[in-house]
Amino acid sequence: MVTPNMHYAELKDSYLFYNISLKTKKYLEENPDKKLLRLGIGDVSLPLCDEVIKALHSAVDDQSNKENFHGYMPEAGAPFLRSAIANYYRSRNVDLADDEVFVSSGASDELGDILDLFDRSSSALVIEPAYPAYVDANVMAGRKIIHLASSKEDGFLPVPSDEAVADILYICSPNNPTGAVFDKDKLKKWVDFANKNGSVIIFDAAYEAFIEDDTLPRSIFEIEGARTCAIEICSFSKTAGFTGTRLGYTVIPKDLKRNGMCFNDMWLRNRTTKTNGVSYIIQKGGAAVFTEEGLKQIHANIEIYKNNARVLMEVLDKLGIWYCGGKNSPYIWMKCPNNMGSWEFFDLLLTKIQVVGTPGEGFGACGEGYFRFSMFGSLEDTKEAANRLYELLK
Ligand code: PLP
């Protein structure tokens, strides 16, 4: 009889969004006349920008005639998209070769698949509160996980410590759920730490385009020394509204080597074995994001989400509530008032003002007592939610 991967039995139930949907469903059944304002789930609400739509249509037409038709795409990505992404980095003074960029069908897929590059015995350090996929993907692989708690005291941006050394280090900046962003000095400490210990950083840059403060790094490769210790995983989901369209990319420098093995070569071998590339049509749509007009249009959408954040931040400031995020991120991470627990605060907002957010405890034990709001909804709903929050807590 086959033995299943028994590590799946060690996974904790992913109860967070399930529990939120159960609670909201029950509330609506009991209060059918109420309208909920949903500031919980991290999905986008704005459609793809015009430049992307134009490119998608034109790529569909290409597939209709013999001259322009595309069959299988190169496994690591179409040269036109790899080059557009590398140019995007170059425009931010990060020098990458085109073949250091791998096109993917999304960051979630890559966060799971990339673990193929590491021995099963390697350990993983996860800074918490964290995006749940980091822990779960490593539990499935049976890896030892070191949970490093961050806190209000360190601004949810902890520095490395010799007490918590691991082979794989996850860093997400701007962070989901806290919205906190590492500055160059703090990120340099992690880069030096990884190089000293021979670790590899998996840098999740899914929200890089939300950074408006030019002094903050949008890529780990802005930090000296990162080329020998980091892999960057990025997504078109939140920056360009591709959550349902699916596209991402991964940067693996050729200088990243351990035990004589080059991670860039290994990943190419992995991709050529395990994928047949991402759809031509979608890659064409993705390339349009990096045109001058495309960048302008995606930033206009990001600005709409950031304006939502400003509305809520203003109210939290007026109420004197501690929070981080919002400025360079689509998430606001607030301290629950009166030392309330995360779920207690969730219930209060749901039942008293019909606002739905995400309890911080769902992102790791140290998230207890905190609450995440996401800014991907409409301005109208965000304004209404902010007003109700003010009236409730003033
Ligand atoms: N990484 C982080 C930090 C995220 O918040 C998300 C999505 O919410 C992802 C990765 C997944 O992105 P994708 O839609 O490209 O799979």
Side-chain angles (χ1 to χ4, degrees):
M1 191 175 67
V2 71
T3 306
N5 179 347
M6 293 307 293
H7 295 300
Y8 279 65
E10 296 156 24
L11 289 166
K12 295 219 178 81
D13 284 344
S14 72
Y15 72 97
L16 177 63
F17 291 107
Y18 178 68
N19 215 10
I20 291 174
S21 80
L22 278 188
K23 278 176 178 274
T24 50
K25 191 164 163 261
K26 182 164 178 286
Y27 179 78
L28 282 177
E29 276 163 10
E30 288 164 5
N31 303 274
D33 55 320
K34 301 279 192 209
K35 181 190 168 227
L36 297 184
L37 299 171
R38 294 179 189 271
L39 276 66
I41 311 265
D43 200 353
V44 293
S45 58
L46 293 170
L48 297 172
C49 69
D50 288 348
E51 279 307 284
V52 169
I53 292 293
K54 260 198 285 179
L56 289 172
H57 279 300
S58 143
V60 169
D61 288 342
D62 287 347
Q63 294 298 69
S64 74
N65 63 71
K66 211 161 182 212
E67 294 73 57
N68 294 332
F69 170 77
H70 285 75
Y72 284 127
M73 298 299 290
E75 295 86 347
F80 64 78
L81 183 53
R82 298 179 89 182
S83 159
I85 295 167
N87 274 333
Y88 174 61
Y89 275 79
R90 281 178 213 123
S91 73
R92 290 150 43 196
N93 297 322
V94 174
D95 204 19
L96 291 183
D98 292 2
D99 59 1
E100 292 179 317
V101 176
F102 295 82
V103 174
S104 76
S105 48
S108 285
D109 316 43
E110 291 289 270
L111 285 165
D113 292 352
I114 204 82
L115 294 174
D116 270 7
L117 297 180
F118 302 94
D119 191 83
R120 293 251 162 176
S121 67
S122 47
S123 54
L125 178 137
V126 177
I127 298 173
E128 287 181 342
Y131 183 60
Y134 309 150
V135 168
D136 287 356
N138 282 288
V139 170
M140 287 174 189
R143 289 209 170 77
K144 178 178 168 210
I145 301 172
I146 297 164
H147 302 263
L148 179 65
S150 62
S151 66
K152 184 170 163 239
E153 285 60 47
D154 59 30
F156 290 95
L157 298 166
V159 286
S161 137
D162 288 332
E163 315 291 296
V165 177
D167 301 308
I168 307 167
L169 313 173
Y170 284 89
I171 299 181
C172 178
S173 177
N175 188 275
N176 179 8
T178 67
V181 188
F182 278 95
D183 66 21
K184 286 189 176 159
D185 288 346
K186 268 198 172 173
L187 202 50
K188 176 85 170 99
K189 289 197 168 75
W190 281 101
V191 166
D192 291 345
F193 179 75
N195 277 323
K196 181 179 85 181
N197 295 310
S199 317
V200 171
I201 295 172
I202 297 190
F203 189 76
D204 187 336
Y207 298 95
E208 60 83 15
F210 286 79
I211 294 181
E212 62 186 41
D213 179 344
D214 282 343
T215 66
L216 295 172
R218 286 165 52 188
S219 162
I220 194 160
F221 300 115
E222 290 176 41
I223 309 298
E224 201 194 326
R227 283 185 60 87
T228 53
C229 70
I231 291 174
E232 181 155 301
I233 292 185
C234 204
S235 166
F236 286 65
S237 283
K238 306 302 162 70
T239 57
F242 274 59
T243 50
T245 309
R246 310 304 305 144
L247 194 63
Y249 57 86
T250 297
V251 178
I252 309 187
K254 289 182 196 152
D255 301 333
L256 180 61
K257 294 176 184 158
R258 297 287 182 269
N259 286 0
M261 303 286 280
C262 168
F263 282 78
N264 183 292
D265 293 343
M266 289 166 71
W267 194 235
L268 181 62
R269 192 72 174 82
N270 179 295
R271 295 293 83 184
T272 50
T273 305
K274 294 198 171 181
T275 78
N276 263 330
V278 176
S279 146
Y280 165 72
I281 297 167
I282 305 299
Q283 292 194 68
K284 274 292 196 185
V289 166
F290 299 107
T291 59
E292 206 184 320
E293 192 51 34
L295 284 171
K296 228 197 276 170
Q297 292 179 0
I298 64 155
H299 277 283
N301 283 355
I302 287 172
E303 203 35 49
I304 290 174
Y305 296 139
K306 298 252 291 258
N307 193 41
N308 291 343
R310 286 191 276 273
V311 167
L312 190 58
M313 287 193 295
E314 204 177 298
V315 160
L316 294 176
D317 286 339
K318 261 206 297 197
L319 290 167
I321 289 179
W322 187 93
Y323 64 91
C324 60
K327 187 164 187 291
N328 296 291
S329 144
Y331 297 115
I332 291 178
W333 178 254
M334 65 171 275
K335 177 100 183 70
C336 300
N338 309 321
N339 288 324
M340 288 175 94
S342 299
W343 282 105
E344 194 187 348
F345 190 56
F346 175 90
D347 289 335
L348 178 79
L349 296 193
L350 175 65
T351 56
K352 296 282 189 236
I353 59 171
Q354 294 77 49
V355 169
V356 181
T358 313
E361 190 248 10
F363 300 98
C366 62
E368 173 57 326
Y370 291 87
F371 204 74
R372 188 193 79 170
F373 284 115
S374 78
M375 296 296 115
F376 291 114
S378 68
L379 178 60
E380 196 190 0
D381 279 5
T382 311
K383 271 188 177 161
E384 181 58 31
N387 284 342
R388 291 185 195 177
L389 193 69
Y390 183 74
E391 291 304 319
L392 179 73
L393 300 178
K394 73 182 178 193

